[in-house]
Amino acid sequence: MAPTFRWISQYTNYCVTVVQTDDAAGVLAAFGGEQGIRGGIEEAFELYHNSARHWPVVRIVDADGWCLAIEMDSFQGLRPPVLARLSADTRAAVLALDHLPEHRMAYAENGEVAGPVRALDPSSPERDQFERVSGTRLGDSKPIDFLHQICGFPIEDDLVTFPGLVGAILPLLPSPTTVNSRVHSERDAKLAALVASGTDEQLWPVVSRHVKDMLEDAGVSTEHIRFDGHLSDDSPTGKALRKVLAEEWMITASPTFHLQRSEIEAIRGRVHAASAAVALLRGGPRHAVAEMSHHRPGTLWQEQLLEELAGIDVAPTAAATVAAQLANYQAVTNRAIRIPPSLPKRRDD
């Protein structure tokens, strides 16, 4: 049975997104959902808890030229890639409250996203800019009033509990982020220096083969994954990787599935491999190697990669950077790790 719904301001673990449109199906598609059913809280609750995959669920309610997208126990509406899609040719705003509890909010217009910012942190340096972009004054009002200012009507119980279009979300791909390679050993340092010094033309064919090997070792089919450097959420490659990454919901969702440790580790292996593929296709080979340095098991692949990249001349700045990273690791962990004296030399030295 679905839980009794109280005032949303008294609830935790929710995300409410308002979009200025009357196209509920378009809103569901922007979230990453493909099919929806008509239903209310009970249908959304059952879809989430009875799903074989436990993907997040969104319920979209029509309201006076706006759509309200309500999530319980997920925060997909707060993600910049989702807001960018939701606000294409229109505007959208979102308020989320997590289990900390902490209110966060964001605003987007014509694909440009401002935030997220913390609602109750007046000292936040982004707060003034956020108010200018969104055209709101946060002041001392309740966080839920932020949405009221945007859409012009209060977000009340009778509205957020109204039936709407209910659908499971296949989460969008993550945005590219800067990830530093792990430098915990001489091997790590040599590899990081080579990768930092190589060009994309030198790195791409070698690294892409390793990413493909990582996927196959984890049991992920590469039949529909193209390693051509182009990746969109709705392409065959994008959808294939999104489905793998969404498996993480099986081990992080609440309540979780009753899985054996071996099953959990297998899921994590597939998710880490897909993350490396996304890093490669959205960030380039350096991002992919950084992801692999943190999550690819074993060291044989590093030895192979060192051999395959041995022809790259290491830049002095790269050598100095990785030496500093290794020294910092030694200092932080208080372990006797020798700073490598034998990083690859430039050929003209």
Side-chain angles (χ1 to χ4, degrees), residues 1-324:
M1 179 180 295
T4 302
F5 200 92
R6 302 167 292 173
W7 277 93
I8 198 163
S9 59
Q10 299 173 358
Y11 224 82
T12 57
N13 287 352
Y14 71 79
C15 184
V16 177
T17 308
V18 295
V19 187
Q20 192 169 19
T21 180
D22 57 5
D23 182 9
V27 170
L28 178 60
F31 267 90
E34 295 182 346
Q35 294 181 336
I37 60 172
R38 186 75 179 176
I41 294 176
E42 290 189 2
E43 286 76 13
F45 183 85
E46 290 175 1
L47 180 60
Y48 177 73
H49 286 271
N50 296 334
S51 169
R53 293 167 295 193
H54 249 34
W55 290 353
V57 170
V58 64
R59 177 168 45 88
I60 303 164
V61 176
D62 296 320
D64 194 23
W66 290 75
C67 282
L68 272 68
I70 302 115
E71 301 173 70
M72 305 303 295
D73 298 312
S74 65
F75 310 94
Q76 295 298 305
L78 199 64
R79 296 181 59 203
V82 177
L83 277 174
R85 286 168 51 126
L86 287 169
S87 66
D89 301 320
T90 186
R91 57 186 179 136
V94 57
L95 177 73
L97 178 63
D98 60 24
H99 62 281
L100 291 178
E102 179 182 61
H103 284 96
R104 289 175 294 164
M105 49 197 175
Y107 177 82
E109 190 165 351
N110 296 322
E112 298 294 326
V113 180
V117 298
R118 291 180 291 179
L120 300 181
D121 184 6
S123 63
S124 172
E126 299 88 8
R127 189 180 178 101
D128 289 342
Q129 180 185 9
F130 178 80
E131 290 182 338
R132 287 195 300 271
V133 171
S134 64
T136 61
R137 293 297 301 173
L138 303 179
D140 298 324
S141 61
K142 296 177 181 179
I144 197 71
D145 291 337
F146 163 64
L147 298 183
H148 184 178
Q149 293 183 64
I150 297 295
C151 63
F153 50 81
I155 310 301
E156 296 179 337
D157 235 11
D158 59 347
L159 181 59
V160 297
T161 59
F162 202 75
L165 183 65
V166 178
I169 300 169
L170 176 59
L172 302 185
L173 295 169
S175 301
T177 57
T178 300
V179 179
N180 293 322
S181 291
R182 188 185 70 171
V183 181
H184 292 179
S185 67
E186 182 175 341
R187 183 192 299 108
D188 291 342
K190 289 180 179 179
L191 183 57
L194 285 167
V195 171
S197 304
T199 65
D200 282 353
E201 289 75 16
Q202 290 172 310
L203 297 173
W204 186 274
V206 177
V207 174
S208 62
R209 286 198 303 272
H210 277 266
V211 171
K212 184 176 181 180
D213 289 344
M214 186 178 178
L215 288 165
E216 293 177 345
D217 289 345
V220 178
S221 171
T222 58
E223 180 182 0
H224 301 294
I225 299 176
R226 295 177 59 86
F227 296 90
D228 56 6
H230 301 285
L231 180 63
S232 67
D233 287 281
D234 298 317
S235 67
T237 296
K239 287 185 177 180
L241 291 173
R242 284 164 64 193
K243 288 178 180 177
V244 178
L245 291 174
E247 291 185 39
E248 190 169 19
W249 281 86
M250 295 179 67
I251 56 177
T252 60
S254 178
T256 58
F257 285 84
H258 297 290
L259 299 173
Q260 300 293 325
R261 179 179 294 274
S262 60
E263 295 174 305
I264 293 174
E265 291 304 316
I267 290 172
R268 285 182 178 149
R270 292 195 292 270
V271 169
H272 289 157
S275 295
V278 173
L280 173 69
L281 296 173
R282 285 204 157 169
R286 293 174 188 82
H287 285 72
V289 173
E291 282 286 342
M292 288 192 290
S293 74
H294 287 279
H295 299 300
R296 190 176 183 185
T299 59
L300 179 60
W301 70 270
Q302 290 178 305
E303 297 288 357
Q304 292 173 340
L305 195 53
L306 281 170
E307 291 180 7
E308 292 166 327
L309 300 179
I312 294 175
D313 291 334
V314 173
T317 53
T321 297
V322 298

